[in-house]
Amino acid sequence: MTPRRFLPSISSLLALEAVDRLGSATAAAKELSLTHSAVSRQLKVLEGQLGVQLISRDGIRLRPTPAAREYCQSVRSCLQDLSRSSLKLKANPAGGSLNLAILPTFGMHWLAPRLRDFTERCPDITVNLSTRLAPFDFAQESFDAALHFGDRDWQGVTYLPVSREHVVPVCAPSLIDSPPTAPGELLQLPLLHLESRPRAWEDWFESYDHVAEGLHGMLFDQYSTMAQAAVHEMGVALLPSYLAQEEIEKGRLVKAFGEPVPAKGKYYLVWPTARPKRPSFEKFSSWIETVLELSD
């Protein structure tokens, strides 16, 4: 436990963070609804407590020292964490929260339709969802778990297989006069690529025993934006079958070739191995396993 003498008051930290961010004590005082002298006193108290000069004083002008600017990075992060925790407490006074990092398209189409069942079964748990497109360090984030696609290449996590993915090339109806008779004919059209799946097209061609290496084209960070680009005749998109089918039924896209084929990789629910499961996540992971058993 950190000695209390090293734990500054929130008021002092708010004053320092505001001066650093806004560039002046006058602006900080206005934001905090304090006087200029009150901000100055808070900073002096903080300096006395830490035994370090944090502010260069030029008359009434206050400037954070280089050491204070570095310290403020940690202070700002702590204040943001405290603010988020307070909002979660306000949203669910009874307690119990679950923080999930999701892949936006799969989260919206697979998890979201099922999530109401979980909230009805566990009304005391507030589920918070945030988008993460790539693996991250759980030690640096406040997430309990994450949805991950690919191989078992995320270090330090436990894996629960959730779903396979099938992909199909689609494009705007006006982009092709007649359906191609061979997969290689798609190479004559612009191919749209997802940043997180750099070899998706090569793998798709390989599934048809057609070699295609070093393919290039427009890059997108999410399936939803790539699908919209395909709708607007910008190229052929390799989309998950569940997303492609929606656009096909609306008449905005058509299959460019063949039927959906399995993508390399799987969707997993992952969580940090070294961290004990919180009770809220215990309930969620058990619920996920039940959902998977019923779907099988």
Side-chain angles (χ1 to χ4, degrees):
M1 184 70 178
T2 304
R4 292 181 62 85
R5 66 179 182 277
F6 293 126
L7 297 176
S9 70
I10 295 294
S11 298
S12 296
L13 295 177
L14 286 171
L16 178 65
E17 189 279 333
V19 170
D20 176 66
R21 174 168 46 84
L22 299 174
S24 74
T26 300
K30 183 177 180 180
E31 179 177 275
L32 298 173
S33 299
L34 298 173
T35 63
H36 185 286
S37 60
V39 170
S40 180
R41 283 196 301 272
Q42 291 288 355
L43 296 175
K44 287 181 179 178
V45 168
L46 185 58
E47 288 178 320
Q49 186 175 14
L50 297 178
V52 176
Q53 182 182 353
L54 299 172
I55 298 296
S56 298
R57 292 171 174 81
D58 181 14
I60 63 170
R61 188 168 182 80
L62 308 179
R63 296 177 182 273
T65 65
R69 292 188 181 281
E70 184 175 344
Y71 178 54
C72 272
Q73 294 179 9
S74 297
V75 169
R76 190 168 293 116
S77 177
C78 290
L79 291 173
Q80 289 171 346
D81 286 344
L82 181 59
S83 177
R84 283 192 291 266
S85 296
S86 299
L87 287 173
K88 291 174 186 175
L89 177 62
K90 183 177 181 180
N92 187 15
S97 65
L98 179 69
N99 302 317
L100 291 178
I102 64 169
L103 300 168
T105 304
F106 185 71
M108 178 176 67
H109 286 84
W110 189 89
L111 180 61
R114 296 168 170 82
L115 200 54
R116 182 174 179 178
D117 178 66
F118 175 74
T119 59
E120 289 176 348
R121 292 172 182 265
C122 303
D124 57 322
I125 297 176
T126 298
V127 181
N128 304 304
L129 305 177
S130 297
T131 297
R132 292 292 186 278
L133 300 177
F136 53 86
D137 185 357
F138 272 101
Q140 302 298 321
E141 300 271 10
S142 60
F143 293 112
D144 295 291
L147 288 176
H148 169 61
F149 179 84
D151 300 317
R152 294 175 179 254
D153 54 2
W154 193 329
Q155 299 299 313
V157 301
T158 301
Y159 293 82
L160 175 63
V162 171
S163 176
R164 294 297 304 267
E165 181 173 86
H166 289 71
V167 294
V168 61
V170 291
C171 64
S174 57
L175 197 65
I176 52 175
D177 296 326
S178 59
T181 58
E185 295 180 31
L186 291 186
L187 294 172
Q188 302 172 19
L189 299 171
L191 303 181
L192 308 180
H193 300 260
L194 194 69
E195 290 179 357
S196 58
R197 314 278 180 89
R199 283 194 54 83
W201 273 113
E202 284 86 347
D203 292 339
W204 182 84
F205 280 108
E206 184 180 312
S207 70
Y208 285 94
D209 298 321
H210 187 97
V211 177
E213 294 291 340
L215 301 179
H216 300 287
M218 291 183 65
L219 282 173
F220 300 85
D221 67 344
Q222 295 189 30
Y223 273 132
S224 57
T225 50
M226 187 165 71
Q228 289 303 306
V231 168
H232 293 288
E233 306 177 359
M234 299 178 70
V236 183
L238 194 59
L239 297 181
S241 55
Y242 57 79
L243 180 58
Q245 190 59 36
E246 288 186 5
E247 298 297 339
I248 291 172
E249 290 175 356
K250 294 175 183 176
R252 288 153 47 98
L253 294 174
V254 295
K255 291 179 183 177
F257 185 85
E259 296 299 320
V261 299
K264 288 188 176 180
K266 293 181 180 179
Y267 285 102
Y268 296 94
L269 180 71
V270 302
W271 60 92
T273 303
R275 187 192 304 167
K277 282 186 179 181
R278 294 199 301 138
S280 58
F281 181 61
E282 287 275 10
K283 292 181 181 180
F284 181 79
S285 59
S286 296
W287 171 77
I288 285 285
E289 290 178 348
T290 301
V291 168
L292 297 176
E293 289 173 2
L294 292 175
S295 64
D296 288 340

